[in-house]
């Protein structure tokens, strides 16, 4: 399935993000799962616990730190398309806008 977000396209079967339809980025399985979860809840606030439970199947400190690394990696990949943003919502979680 192909999803449009901002000025970019994500192809889930290939775990590939086409930034502004120019640059092709292959996501790791965990990056793809996290990005797809955020896409499913685009423009909604998702709690850290919901993301951790769905992607990592646990909500402990170490899974949380791992998730922070993956959120940062996605932000770095997405910063090439200024129409897509992952916001941190203090004490709640994240919101993907695009």
């Amino acid at each position: 399935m192909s999803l449009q977000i901002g000025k970019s396209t994500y192809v889930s079967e290939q775990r590939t993000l086409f930034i502004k339809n120019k640059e092709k980025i292959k996501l790791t399985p965990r990056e793809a799962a996290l990005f797809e979860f955020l896409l499913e809840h685009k423009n909604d606030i998702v709690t850290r616990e919901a993301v951790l439970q769905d992607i990592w199947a646990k909500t402990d400190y170490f899974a949380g730190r791992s998730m922070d690394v993956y959120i940062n990696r996605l932000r770095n990949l997405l910063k090439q398309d200024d129409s897509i943003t992952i916001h941190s919502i203090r004490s709640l979680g994240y919101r993907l806008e695009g």
Side-chain angles (χ1 to χ4, degrees), residues 8-84:
S8 300
T9 305
Y10 176 70
V11 181
S12 61
E13 296 83 17
Q14 301 171 1
R15 295 189 336 257
T16 304
L17 184 63
F18 295 91
I19 302 287
K20 297 182 181 178
N21 297 316
K22 296 177 185 175
E23 185 174 349
K24 178 180 174 180
I25 300 171
K26 182 81 169 176
L27 301 181
T28 67
R30 184 71 47 104
E31 288 170 339
L34 179 56
F35 189 57
E36 289 172 17
F37 186 88
L38 293 171
L39 278 172
E40 288 173 19
H41 301 90
K42 186 172 94 171
N43 297 319
D44 293 333
I45 297 173
V46 293
T47 64
R48 287 179 59 83
E49 291 76 21
V51 176
L52 286 168
Q53 193 60 48
D54 190 76
I55 309 297
W56 277 263
K58 53 186 170 182
T59 58
D60 63 21
Y61 172 81
F62 299 105
R65 299 308 302 154
S66 176
M67 180 179 66
D68 294 339
V69 169
Y70 279 93
I71 289 285
N72 191 46
R73 288 170 66 173
L74 284 177
R75 282 181 174 145
N76 285 333
L77 294 173
L78 295 171
K79 71 180 172 185
Q80 299 172 56
D81 182 347
D82 57 4
S83 64
I84 306 171

